[in-house]
Amino acid sequence: KTYILCSIPVRISAHKTTLLKRMEELKCYSEGSREASNTASHIEIRYTDLFVTEDNDFIDSSQHEYFDLASRRARIYVHQSCQRISPSQLLSPQETTGQPPKKVKVKGIAGIGKSVAVQRLVYEWGIGKSMREFTCIFDLCFRELNLIEAPLSLLELLGERFQYLKDALPDLFTAPRSLLFILDGLDEFKFFLNWNSRDKNIGIESKMPVSELIVALIKGNLLPEASVILTTRPSTEAPKRFFQRCCVVLGFEENQVKEYTTKFYKDRQVAEKVYDYISNNDNIFVLSFIPLYCHIICMAMAEFFSSATQDVGDFKSLELNPPRTVSEVYFCYLFTAVKHHALRGSAEKSTSRSEVLSQAKKQLTNLGKLAYENLLQKKIMFSREDLESYGVTPAKIQGTFLCQILHPLKEETVGMFSFFHLTVQEHLGALYCAINLFSQEDITQALNLWCFGLDPPTTSSTLLKNIELNMDMLESLQMFTRFFMGLLRARLERQLDGLVETSMEEENGVPTSLGLWFQDQFKHRKMENETALNLLHCLMEFHKKETTTIAAPEIKKLNLFKMKLSIVDCAAMHYVLKFSPHTLQELNLGYSNIGNRGLNRLRPILHRCETL
C-alpha cells in the first residue's frame, strides 16, 4: 500500500508524458509538403484561439448545424452579449456561486474545434501550465467507447484504457475532487443514453453497460465529487439540468481567420493573398469562421495562390477559376486531394483535369455511394467491413477523405473510419448523385424528394427508390442539396468530364427544366421560410442565368421575420432577386440581425420592395 502511494506521482508523470505525445500534434496538412509537419503542426505553434461563450439558448434547433451556428453568431454580434472563455477557464468559478462547476457541457457543430479545445486543455495540464488543481485527467473518446459491448465497471474501463495507471486507480479514487473526466464526442456514441433512469449511488466496481456508466458519471450518481467536461454537437440530447455550466464554441473571429491563414502557409505573401481573397468573398468568408472549413478553404486555395503561381493565367493548369461558392470550394478541395493523395503523385502538374478525375473515377464513385446512402441514414461511422462492402479499400483512401481511428482495446486493434468532415461526406454524396442522375425528370424528382420528402411516382434511378425522409432529415439535407446544384452546374460546364460522359444535346434542356421546377415551387407551394431560403441558395449555387431568370419573377413575397440571416443568406437573396423584373410586394427582414455587411449586400434591391 505504501509503495503504491509513493508511486502515484511516478504513475501520473508517466500518464502526462503519454498524454503529451498524443496532444502536442494537431493533425492537419500544411501547404507544400502536404504531410503533417512536426514543427508547423505542433499545438503551441498551430493552435489558434477559439470563440467560446456561455450558452444561454434554451431552444434546441433541428436545422442543419451550419445554419444554426450562423444565426447564433448573428445574435451575439448584434447584442455583444458574450464572454470569451479559454479552454482552461471552462472550470473557473461561476459568478453566481463563486464555486467552480463540477459538470460542464461544451456544444458546437462538426469541425468547430471542440476536440481541439479539450486537446489544448489536456496539453496545458500536461505541461503544468493550468488545471493544477487536478491530480489526474482521464480523456475518453466516445468513438472508442463504442467498441465496448460487455458490461464493465469504471475501474475496469480506466484500467484497460490507461494500463500504466491500473495499480494506482483505487488510491486516486480516494480523492475524487482532484479528478477530471473529459468525455469527447457524445454525438458519435452509438448506444442509447437513458437520462431519466432512476438515481442510485454507484460504486467504482459496479458493473454495467458503458452507456449507463456515462450517464451515472454525468448525473453524479458515480463519483459525485469528480469534475466532468462533455463535448457534443447541438443535435445530440444532453439535458442542461445536469450541468452547472453550458458553453458553445462559435469558432474563429475575423482576426483568428487571418492568424490561422498565416500559420497554414509557409509563405507569408501567399497567406496574405489567400486571406484577401477570403475576406472579399462573402460566401467563403462566412464559412471560414468554422476552423475545419477554414482548413478546407486553405487547402483548396493553395493551388491558386502558391508561390509557384505567378499570376491568374497560371490557373489554367488547373482548368478552374478560384472558387466563389461553397460547392466550388469543396470541388477544388476534392480535386486537390485526388491529385496529391489518392493518386499518390502519379498525376503530374500538367495532367489534365479530366484525366485526373478519370484515374480516380472508381474510388470517387464508390466513396460517393458510401457517402450518399449512409447520409440518408445519418450514419457517419464505418467499420472496415462497411467500407469493403462498397468496394472502398481503406489503405488507399486513408489521409485523403477518411480519417482512420485505431484504438487498442483488450489487446486488439479495431479500425473505425469516418469522413474527414461531415460536409465532405455531404459533398461526395452530392457528387455521386450529380454523375448518376441524367434525365430532367430524375433531377426534378430528386429535388422533390430531398427538399420536400415527396417520393417519386416513377423513377428509373435506384438513387431515389425506397427512401423515407422525415422533416428533421430534410433540414439536415440542405447543405447536401446545395452541393448537388453546384456540382450539377460543374457537370453542365464539362468540369466533371472524366467522371461522367454526356453529350451537350442531352444536357441542353436541364437549365430550362430546372427553371420551370423552381418557378412552380415559388408559385404554387406553401413553404416554410427556411425551405424558401434554401431554394434561393440552390439557385445561387447553380448560378445559371437562364434558370434564375425563369424562377425569380414568381417570388412575390419573402417573409424572413425573426430568421437569423448570415451574409451568405443576403448574397443568395441578392443574386436571385436581381433577375426579377418586378417589384417585390413585401420583404420582411425584421429581427434578422443582418448587420451592416448584410445590408450592404442587399442594398441594390431594397428600393424595389413595395413594403420593406
Side-chain angles (χ1 to χ4, degrees):
K1 177 81 174 177
T2 310
Y3 167 73
I4 291 172
L5 282 171
C6 293
S7 70
I8 283 180
V10 178
R11 304 290 171 89
I12 296 296
S13 178
H15 180 48
K16 287 184 175 181
T17 304
T18 306
L19 286 182
L20 285 174
K21 280 180 185 172
R22 276 197 292 124
M23 299 297 171
E24 67 186 8
E25 291 295 315
L26 287 177
K27 300 296 180 194
C28 50
Y29 294 103
S30 59
E31 181 266 328
S33 65
R34 297 191 171 79
E35 295 294 337
S37 151
N38 288 336
T39 53
S41 60
H42 192 282
I43 197 164
E44 287 284 14
I45 299 169
R46 198 67 182 257
Y47 181 78
T48 305
D49 273 340
L50 290 161
F51 184 5
V52 184
T53 185
E54 296 266 3
D55 179 22
N56 298 314
D57 195 343
F58 283 84
I59 301 165
D60 289 320
S61 170
S62 62
Q63 66 181 333
H64 191 289
E65 299 179 321
Y66 164 66
F67 311 123
D68 187 39
L69 173 83
S71 67
R72 189 187 290 273
R73 291 191 76 95
R75 287 201 296 283
I76 283 177
Y77 280 131
V78 168
H79 303 296
Q80 292 299 311
S81 58
C82 60
Q83 176 193 353
R84 185 180 266 287
I85 301 168
S86 70
S88 60
Q89 292 174 316
L90 289 172
L91 292 163
S92 61
Q94 296 170 287
E95 286 183 16
T96 49
T97 64
Q99 297 295 315
K102 286 289 178 195
K103 308 291 187 286
V104 176
K105 179 167 79 167
V106 179
K107 184 167 80 171
I109 72 169
I112 200 73
K114 303 180 296 295
S115 295
V116 175
V118 293
Q119 180 181 338
R120 176 73 186 191
L121 184 151
V122 174
Y123 173 78
E124 289 189 357
W125 175 76
I127 61 173
K129 185 176 179 180
S130 60
M131 315 294 282
R132 291 178 186 172
E133 64 271 30
F134 296 107
T135 305
C136 193
I137 292 181
F138 301 105
D139 68 308
L140 298 168
C141 160
F142 281 99
R143 287 184 175 188
E144 186 172 281
L145 297 177
N146 281 337
L147 306 172
I148 301 171
E149 300 286 349
L152 79 174
S153 67
L154 183 65
L155 204 57
E156 289 170 326
L157 170 65
L158 298 178
E160 284 182 12
R161 178 69 179 78
F162 309 101
Q163 291 190 359
Y164 46 84
L165 285 176
K166 196 169 185 176
D167 294 340
L169 287 173
D171 292 295
L172 285 172
F173 285 141
T174 59
R177 190 181 287 271
S178 67
L179 303 179
L180 169 62
F181 290 85
I182 293 177
L183 308 174
D184 188 27
L186 176 67
D187 47 280
E188 295 176 345
F189 198 38
K190 71 179 183 182
F191 299 114
F192 172 72
L193 293 170
N194 182 8
W195 297 106
N196 297 317
S197 59
R198 191 165 56 86
D199 287 349
K200 58 180 180 180
N201 291 330
I202 293 165
I204 58 170
E205 295 185 29
S206 305
K207 288 195 177 191
M208 63 193 70
V210 68
S211 56
E212 291 180 24
L213 210 58
I214 294 301
V215 169
L217 199 56
I218 291 170
K219 289 174 73 173
N221 299 330
L222 171 60
L223 293 179
E225 292 294 304
S227 297
V228 176
I229 295 177
L230 174 80
T231 76
T232 184
R233 276 159 59 172
S235 54
T236 306
E237 177 75 10
K240 282 194 165 188
R241 64 183 184 274
F242 299 126
F243 300 91
Q244 290 85 50
R245 173 173 284 154
C246 294
C247 297
V248 59
V249 183
L250 295 174
F252 291 153
E253 291 180 276
E254 194 167 343
N255 288 342
Q256 278 73 50
V257 173
K258 189 168 188 176
E259 182 186 336
Y260 184 91
T261 311
T262 303
K263 289 176 177 179
F264 186 90
Y265 297 98
K266 292 171 185 170
D267 187 321
R268 189 169 287 273
Q269 283 186 316
V270 171
E272 286 174 6
K273 285 181 191 174
V274 171
Y275 179 73
D276 286 345
Y277 188 84
I278 291 171
S279 60
N280 288 313
N281 185 308
D282 288 337
N283 298 13
I284 298 174
F285 182 66
V286 171
L287 276 182
S288 68
F289 288 119
I290 300 170
L292 225 149
Y293 282 28
C294 199
H295 174 74
I296 286 172
I297 290 166
C298 287
M299 283 281 290
M301 295 293 181
E303 293 293 321
F304 299 101
F305 295 97
S306 70
S307 47
T309 306
Q310 297 303 313
D311 55 45
V312 178
D314 284 348
F315 295 157
K316 288 175 183 169
S317 67
L318 273 175
E319 303 170 70
L320 294 167
N321 291 316
R324 298 158 299 166
T325 64
V326 178
S327 50
E328 285 179 356
V329 167
Y330 274 73
F331 185 66
C332 287
Y333 165 74
L334 172 104
F335 184 72
T336 303
V338 165
K339 198 168 180 179
H340 294 294
H341 298 289
L343 301 182
R344 303 290 180 198
S346 60
E348 299 298 323
K349 185 147 189 161
S350 57
T351 308
S352 70
R353 184 186 66 246
S354 59
E355 198 177 327
V356 169
L357 293 176
S358 177
Q359 287 181 46
K361 181 176 180 178
K362 188 179 178 185
Q363 280 187 42
L364 290 176
T365 303
N366 291 345
L367 266 179
K369 187 177 183 184
L370 169 81
Y372 175 65
E373 291 184 357
N374 287 286
L375 187 66
L376 296 179
Q377 299 171 41
K378 285 195 166 183
K379 184 175 176 181
I380 61 169
M381 296 279 292
F382 313 102
S383 67
R384 192 172 292 272
E385 290 71 30
D386 290 334
L387 298 190
E388 287 168 354
S389 70
Y390 282 91
V392 174
T393 309
K396 290 184 180 176
I397 309 299
Q398 190 183 342
T400 309
F401 307 113
L402 293 174
C403 302
Q404 185 174 17
I405 308 100
L406 285 172
H407 291 303
L409 269 180
K410 296 187 178 176
E411 308 308 319
E412 297 174 30
T413 300
V414 183
M416 292 294 285
F417 299 81
S418 69
F419 282 91
F420 173 55
H421 190 247
L422 173 65
T423 49
V424 174
Q425 182 173 348
E426 291 170 323
H427 184 261
L428 280 163
L431 177 68
Y432 177 69
C433 295
I435 62 177
N436 282 290
L437 291 172
F438 293 108
S439 76
Q440 295 171 28
E441 186 182 19
D442 279 349
I443 291 169
T444 52
Q445 286 187 353
L447 291 173
N448 280 331
L449 175 65
W450 301 329
C451 295
F452 305 108
L454 301 176
D455 289 327
T458 56
T459 179
S460 57
S461 175
T462 55
L463 275 70
L464 308 178
K465 289 179 180 174
N466 305 319
I467 295 170
E468 289 184 21
L469 299 176
N470 59 34
M471 289 310 293
D472 283 357
M473 190 65 223
L474 293 182
E475 289 183 338
S476 67
L477 285 178
Q478 288 178 352
M479 188 69 104
F480 160 80
T481 312
R482 297 178 194 183
F483 279 143
F484 172 76
M485 294 301 293
L487 287 161
L488 187 58
R489 170 170 54 96
R491 187 183 91 194
L492 297 180
E493 293 175 357
R494 312 304 298 266
Q495 290 178 10
L496 301 186
D497 284 6
L499 290 177
V500 62
E501 305 301 331
T502 55
S503 66
M504 290 301 289
E505 292 73 33
E506 286 179 274
E507 305 281 42
N508 279 341
V510 172
T512 302
S513 166
L514 278 170
L516 293 170
W517 182 84
F518 279 100
Q519 181 189 65
D520 192 50
Q521 310 315 308
F522 289 121
K523 193 172 185 176
H524 299 298
R525 192 181 294 279
K526 187 167 170 48
M527 288 183 280
E528 295 287 330
N529 299 348
E530 188 81 39
T531 308
L533 185 61
N534 190 46
L535 293 187
L536 299 184
H537 277 280
C538 287
L539 282 166
M540 182 170 74
E541 290 293 331
F542 193 53
H543 227 80
K544 288 283 184 187
K545 183 178 179 181
E546 181 184 342
T547 305
T548 315
T549 303
I550 297 170
E554 288 306 325
I555 303 172
K556 303 292 195 298
K557 292 184 178 181
L558 263 184
N559 180 6
L560 303 174
F561 182 69
K562 285 192 174 178
M563 277 190 66
K564 309 306 177 202
L565 303 175
S566 70
I567 304 160
V568 181
D569 297 324
C570 296
M573 279 190 279
H574 172 257
Y575 169 76
V576 176
L577 294 175
K578 74 182 180 184
F579 285 98
S580 174
H582 312 305
T583 56
L584 201 61
Q585 290 174 13
E586 181 186 338
L587 175 61
N588 189 342
L589 299 171
Y591 296 94
S592 63
N593 295 152
I594 59 175
N596 289 341
R597 191 166 176 143
L599 196 62
N600 281 332
R601 202 75 171 81
L602 289 174
R603 190 166 53 181
I605 59 165
L606 293 180
H607 69 284
R608 292 171 40 208
C609 304
E610 287 178 20
T611 304
L612 177 62

